[in-house]
Amino acid sequence: MGIKIVLLVLFFAVMVAVGVYSRKHATSVDGFVLGGRSVGPWLTAFAYGTSYFSAVVFVGYAGQFGWKYGLASTWIGLGNAIIGSLLAWVVLGRRTKVMTQHLNVKTMPDFFGERYGSKALKITASAIVFIFLVPYTASVYNGLSRLFGMAFNIPYTYCVLGMAAFTAVYVILGGYMATAINDFIQGIIMLGGIIGVIGAVLSGQGGFIQAIRKMAEIPSDVPVTMGQPGAFTSFFGPDPLNLLGVVILTSLGTWGLPQMIGKFYAIKDEKAINTGTVISTLFAVVISGGCYFLGGFGRLFDNASIYDETGNVVFDSIVPYMLSTLPDILIGIVIVLVLSASMSTLASLVLTSSSTLTLDFLKDNVMKNMSEKKQVRTMQVLIVFFIVLSVAIALDPPTFIAQLMGISWGALAGAFLAPFLYGLYWKRVSKAAVWASFAAGVGITVSNMFIGYIASPINAGAIAMIAGLIIVPIVSALSPKPDTGKVDQIFECYDEKVVITKKRSLEAK
């Protein structure tokens, strides 16, 4: 217990120290929200990766999908690395940086408002962000607190409240720069920790080959496999179609999540994007691939403690039970590992939500003529409000961690992915198409919560994203063209000759 507490105290001390150090960067709105748009590739890549992977992945997703699909769940991690990191940086990175700086926007709703010339779109997008980031944050608290309960025997409620208080202090002190520096430190911990934990868990099963042999002997409980052994070690697992749905949601979903896309707003320059692409992809391969690979061996830890009173598997308990047999020093490392992943995600979520509500909804709509200082103070107050709201859900979660995250990702990515992606590349996108995407993304996810016409929130989220990618071009083709002159001005930012001419003109003046 002493080792675990020492590691924890050291972790908290470093995080607070970074927050205090970063206060000088958080005095202006641009500094508080985007770190002054001067964050380098290493900090940005680690901020992207650590915001991507949290206790939701390590505890909820790795446990649930490792149990369902066996070693084939590793495909989810590889999909995260290739689609969610590599392609996201290649396809979105440069264009997002250039256009958002050209439009002088700080948030995703702000982008929709300026790109499509609609204040109503901006306000609606800010409401969607605020509402659907709450269940995501609650799911992070949930998974993190279960690991704390396993390691320290602390009641779940106290864990949630403690983490909420720490998150508030951490983000309010230093804003985006504090989260970026801390994300780098936390990312290093995550890389070392996941490798050590996988080695220790497999060693406890007699090594990698022996663990594979044991997994191959377990009969599948998926009807289509007719109970035959070997399904959990097969190439695509016992249920390839649903596995594909998880890959799509967890990988393509990052393309439409405001807390992820915001990292491209803040990066220093276009050259830094190339370096960040490589770093982010390698980070995702190790962390996400490692998490799902570890979860794929969950069936080897079948125990009464992972079942509820009715005999159903509690997926959120699988990974904590797997880790409970490790030595104290490794459990301490695991706690710091998951804490690192979760704190970075929580910081990103609360900062995104508070900045969106302040800059896109309250400013110029509810509170007129807000000064720079007042905007920062308002964001800090809203951080507390957002945390309290998410804690209320975390203390009485309506469903499993993975489903909570599926609802959030499905609604946000389903609504935003298509109009954001097409808006960076295609001049013809219309306001009507953006409204249609918002309605489809939120409509499919929310209606499925109540009616349940799609098997799970995970699949509903994947369908919502694909629907948006189909709806936006169709509605754009059928609706009136946007103002050609205004759109051409927006897309001038990609024309290097125009940019150089304007720069020289400004320098001459």
Side-chain angles (χ1 to χ4, degrees):
M1 184 64 73
I3 294 172
K4 290 182 281 191
I5 291 174
V6 168
L7 288 173
L8 208 56
V9 170
L10 281 173
F11 176 82
F12 286 149
V14 170
M15 297 303 104
V16 172
V18 170
V20 173
Y21 167 78
S22 303
R23 290 185 70 181
K24 61 185 178 182
H25 296 283
T27 54
S28 67
V29 173
D30 220 38
F32 191 82
V33 178
L34 298 174
R37 297 184 191 266
S38 60
V39 185
W42 282 88
L43 291 184
T44 302
F46 272 68
Y48 185 92
T50 54
S51 297
Y52 195 165
F53 311 115
S54 66
V56 178
V57 172
F58 192 78
V59 177
Y61 273 24
Q64 177 172 342
F65 301 126
W67 184 271
K68 287 184 175 181
Y69 310 124
L71 294 182
S73 63
T74 308
W75 283 111
I76 305 171
L78 296 178
N80 292 170
I82 296 169
I83 302 172
S85 293
L86 176 62
L87 288 181
W89 279 72
V90 170
V91 176
L92 301 178
R94 177 185 174 273
R95 289 210 162 224
T96 299
K97 169 65 180 176
V98 172
M99 185 176 283
T100 56
Q101 193 158 359
H102 175 68
L103 296 175
N104 193 29
V105 297
K106 300 177 179 67
T107 65
M108 186 173 277
D110 200 9
F111 171 85
F112 288 129
E114 293 298 321
R115 168 65 180 85
Y116 299 109
S118 172
K119 191 174 182 180
L121 278 175
K122 178 178 176 179
I123 294 172
T124 303
S126 69
I128 294 172
V129 169
F130 191 76
I131 292 168
F132 288 100
L133 281 187
V134 173
Y136 186 10
T137 308
S139 68
V140 176
Y141 284 123
N142 194 337
L144 188 60
S145 298
R146 289 183 186 279
L147 271 183
F148 263 74
M150 176 272 289
F152 298 101
N153 294 317
I154 301 173
Y156 174 71
T157 300
Y158 296 149
C159 290
V160 173
L161 293 175
M163 291 314 305
F166 183 73
T167 305
V169 172
Y170 165 34
V171 183
I172 289 171
L173 276 175
Y176 183 84
M177 187 58 75
T179 68
I181 296 172
N182 276 333
D183 287 348
F184 181 75
I185 297 169
Q186 292 160 353
I188 298 295
I189 295 171
M190 290 167 66
L191 287 170
I194 193 67
I195 294 169
V197 168
I198 290 173
V201 169
L202 292 182
S203 177
Q205 294 295 317
F208 175 67
I209 301 299
Q210 185 62 25
I212 293 287
R213 187 175 292 116
K214 291 179 182 177
M215 284 289 295
E217 295 172 355
I218 299 173
S220 171
D221 50 10
V222 177
V224 72
T225 62
M226 301 177 68
Q228 294 296 314
F232 295 118
T233 54
S234 62
F235 200 66
F236 291 118
D239 192 359
L241 190 59
N242 278 316
L243 176 62
L244 179 61
V246 178
V247 171
I248 292 172
L249 176 70
T250 61
S251 302
L252 194 59
T254 59
W255 294 35
L257 296 179
Q259 74 273 19
M260 303 297 296
I261 298 300
K263 304 298 186 289
F264 299 134
Y265 291 36
I267 199 166
K268 189 176 182 180
D269 51 41
E270 294 178 48
K271 185 180 178 182
I273 291 171
N274 297 329
T275 307
T277 302
V278 177
I279 299 167
S280 178
T281 303
L282 294 176
F283 184 88
V285 168
V286 176
I287 299 300
S288 188
C291 284
Y292 287 109
F293 177 74
L294 177 65
F297 291 96
R299 296 262 178 177
L300 297 181
F301 296 83
D302 195 345
N303 183 275
S305 62
I306 66 172
Y307 292 88
D308 60 19
E309 297 84 0
T310 60
N312 294 317
V313 177
V314 180
F315 296 120
D316 304 342
S317 300
I318 296 171
V319 171
Y321 177 72
M322 290 175 68
L323 303 175
S324 64
T325 57
L326 298 178
D328 274 353
I329 182 66
L330 276 177
I331 290 179
I333 291 172
V334 169
I335 295 301
V336 176
L337 182 161
V338 181
L339 187 61
S340 298
S342 300
M343 287 307 304
S344 58
T345 303
L346 289 170
S348 180
L349 292 174
V350 297
L351 187 58
T352 299
S353 183
S354 64
S355 60
T356 293
L357 198 63
T358 301
L359 303 177
D360 303 323
F361 182 73
L362 296 178
K363 182 189 173 188
D364 298 331
N365 294 308
V366 179
M367 304 170 73
K368 303 289 184 180
N369 303 317
M370 290 179 73
S371 65
E372 191 95 352
K373 186 176 181 180
K374 192 172 184 180
Q375 290 176 52
V376 174
R377 290 286 176 265
T378 304
M379 282 186 277
Q380 291 171 331
V381 170
L382 285 173
I383 284 170
V384 176
F385 172 70
F386 181 75
I387 286 175
V388 169
L389 199 58
S390 60
V391 164
I393 294 178
L395 291 177
D396 186 23
T399 185
F400 291 119
I401 294 177
Q403 291 172 321
L404 275 174
M405 184 175 170
I407 293 167
S408 174
W409 278 45
L412 288 165
F416 297 157
L417 189 156
F420 185 78
L421 173 62
Y422 287 124
L424 293 175
Y425 282 88
W426 190 30
K427 296 180 180 181
R428 184 65 177 80
V429 183
S430 66
K431 291 180 191 176
V434 181
W435 282 115
S437 182
F438 285 6
V442 174
I444 291 172
T445 309
V446 173
S447 62
N448 188 62
M449 284 172 58
F450 297 102
I451 303 173
Y453 53 90
I454 302 172
S456 72
I458 307 297
N459 291 337
I463 290 170
M465 284 185 282
I466 293 170
L469 291 171
I470 296 170
I471 288 170
V472 168
I474 292 175
V475 175
S476 294
L478 297 175
S479 54
K481 288 184 178 181
D483 187 310
T484 305
K486 290 181 179 178
V487 175
D488 286 342
Q489 286 180 354
I490 292 171
F491 276 76
E492 278 181 354
C493 62
Y494 298 140
D495 190 328
E496 292 184 11
K497 291 182 180 179
V498 173
V499 172
I500 291 171
T501 302
K502 284 187 175 182
K503 187 178 180 181
R504 287 174 178 171
S505 176
L506 288 172
E507 288 173 351
K509 290 180 181 180

